[in-house]
Amino acid sequence: VVSNRGPLSFSLDDEGNLTSSRGGGGLVSSLSPLVRGTGATWIAAAITDADRQAADEGLIEADGFRVRSLAVDPALFRMAYDVVSNSTLWFLNHGLFDLARRPRLGRRWWEAWEGYRKVNRRFAETVAEHAEEGATVLVQDYHLFLVGAWLAQQRPDLRAVHFTHTPFTGPEDLRVLPSSVAEELLVGMTGHVACGFHARRWAANFEECCREVLGFTPRSFVSPISPDRDEIVATAQSEDCGRELERLEVLLGGRQLIARVDRIELSKNLLRGFHAFDDLLATRPEWRDKVVFAAFLYPSREALPEYLGYRQEVESLARYVNDRWATPGWQPVVLDTSDNYCRSVAALTRYDVLLVNPVRDGLNLVAKEGALVNRRHGVVALSREAGVWDELGATALELNPFDVAGTSDVLAGALAMPPDEREAHASALRKLAEARAPSSWLDDQLRQADADADAVDGGGGVPVVG
Ligand code: G6P
């Protein structure tokens, strides 16, 4: 497995010894239960100084993982990660560019692009150096689009599959990138045996981009990931979670709970979520003092000014809604940025309504996790722009994430849903969230790696979702 973030994040204890803890981010939390104990080697970038020290130790075996940390020059890494991966490819694939101003592909950007190429090359070289003859290589996400093409040259015996955890842009928006860059990215991706996505829409966009830019249809497949039900249920039943739940109950004082759990991330549409709640309180006075909107948001990518600015907007909007509606004894919005995993899971067990309203999202695991652990027949209000809509859309309440008034109406409908309807909604949703075994995602990639390329229909990708 090859990805930017690894399953273990290293730090130094008081005596200067290396210790490891769980790595951060959605990709790592979805993949870790699937990869732990399989004996696969996981190659990931060294992000902190302690990670770089871990890189010097070579292969590290801990917590059921075999991890090889890859240290690249920190300045080069930051250019690749901050400027190309997160400020360009992430924005492009989530449709986040403010085109009147961004992106601005100046000299610094072109330098960063060289950095991205070099980092991808270092990853490919490390794989080439360590992979056994004929090994299967599962390359993850937009940080590493170019690995497959270089591997194909250096180690043609390997079978490399790429999986993108974000959406993928269509050919119109791709035109923002310089032609040589767009072409190199697509060539890099199609150097893999196949490219996977969480939803049909993203695979179709990728195929269209390739048809337009490269003149052929690549092999792609669709395979949405599922959370490990046992793992999240065990967390929900843990003592720590129990304590967090008690704390939350005190805070709620018997009121209904609208919850959300997200990174502080522009694509998650946090601002419109607060505006919708504000509208709900303004247009339906009967809900004042009867409901709390708790947002469990954890800080992310704070080296980027866009994210710092966004966090400030989020915090000041939450304050505004509280200033407008709070009464002695009732705080309408609770904004928790403490990054406490158990607290977030406790909120998922307790919500009456879960708000998942991204402007665009590769999948969105929180919607499935909520459906699996919730104990109150909670309702899920879900953006039709999330990849997980393909799986949960038959039951979840539909949101157009840009329609604030519409979101407020959906929230009001969810809060007022009669108990028998709620129960039916929650149990149908749980069934949908459980429909795919967590192992299917990994199996699909392995199957793609093994598939005989000649036997594959080159015209429409390989839909493997049953
Ligand atoms: C998304 C991406 C992952 C990434 C995660 C956290 O889920 O698909 O690749 O790891 O966000 O972002 P970060 O920049 O902190 O790794």
Side-chain angles (χ1 to χ4, degrees), residues 356-376:
V356 182
N357 66 329
V359 295
R360 202 181 286 174
D361 209 337
L363 182 77
N364 197 293
L365 213 56
V366 172
K368 286 191 190 181
E369 290 172 337
L372 291 177
V373 298
N374 184 263
R375 298 178 191 145
R376 283 172 66 94

Side-chain angles (χ1 to χ4, degrees), residues 63-212:
D63 197 19
F65 296 108
R66 289 160 54 85
V67 179
R68 202 172 270 287
S69 229
L70 169 62
V72 281
D73 171 64
L76 199 69
F77 177 75
R78 293 242 71 93
M79 284 199 290
Y81 174 72
D82 287 338
V83 181
V84 176
S85 298
N86 288 339
S87 301
T88 308
L89 300 177
W90 180 273
F91 274 59
L92 177 71
N93 285 326
H94 289 85
L96 293 173
F97 281 136
D98 168 11
L99 286 181
R101 301 180 183 81
R102 297 272 191 282
R104 223 168 41 214
L105 309 181
R107 299 283 157 209
R108 179 172 166 265
W109 186 88
W110 280 98
E111 238 181 85
W113 168 243
E114 284 310 315
Y116 180 87
R117 299 176 78 216
K118 283 185 190 144
V119 169
N120 271 253
R121 182 163 214 138
R122 280 291 314 281
F123 267 95
E125 283 166 358
T126 308
V127 174
E129 186 185 339
H130 296 287
E132 284 170 23
E133 176 73 22
T136 296
V137 184
L138 306 182
V139 184
Q140 307 299 311
D141 238 349
Y142 56 98
H143 316 86
L144 300 174
F145 277 151
L146 306 179
V147 167
W150 275 319
L151 272 187
Q153 286 169 6
Q154 292 170 32
R155 287 285 307 268
D157 60 300
L158 302 178
R159 311 280 296 162
V161 174
H162 191 277
F163 198 92
T164 302
H165 293 262
T166 66
F168 201 83
T169 192
E172 274 303 308
D173 288 343
L174 187 72
R175 294 174 70 88
V176 165
L177 295 182
S179 304
S180 62
V181 170
E183 192 177 326
E184 188 168 349
L185 286 171
L186 295 174
V187 167
M189 288 179 81
T190 53
H192 299 83
V193 173
C195 292
F197 299 87
H198 285 304
R200 186 70 247 162
R201 269 173 82 187
W202 319 139
N205 281 351
F206 169 64
E207 288 172 8
E208 254 185 82
C209 286
C210 288
R211 266 197 297 275
E212 192 152 301

Side-chain angles (χ1 to χ4, degrees), residues 259-276:
R260 74 175 308 148
V261 177
D262 285 299
R263 268 188 313 115
I264 302 184
E265 159 58 57
L266 288 80
S267 64
K268 300 296 182 185
N269 205 18
L270 306 171
L271 298 174
R272 287 194 193 85
F274 288 124
H275 281 303

Side-chain angles (χ1 to χ4, degrees), residues 234-246 341-346 349 375:
T235 305
Q237 288 168 347
S238 68
E239 270 181 38
D240 278 357
C241 250
R243 267 193 298 277
E244 291 299 340
L245 187 57
E246 278 170 28
Y341 181 64
C342 270
R343 192 169 292 169
S344 301
V345 174
T349 68
R375 298 178 191 145

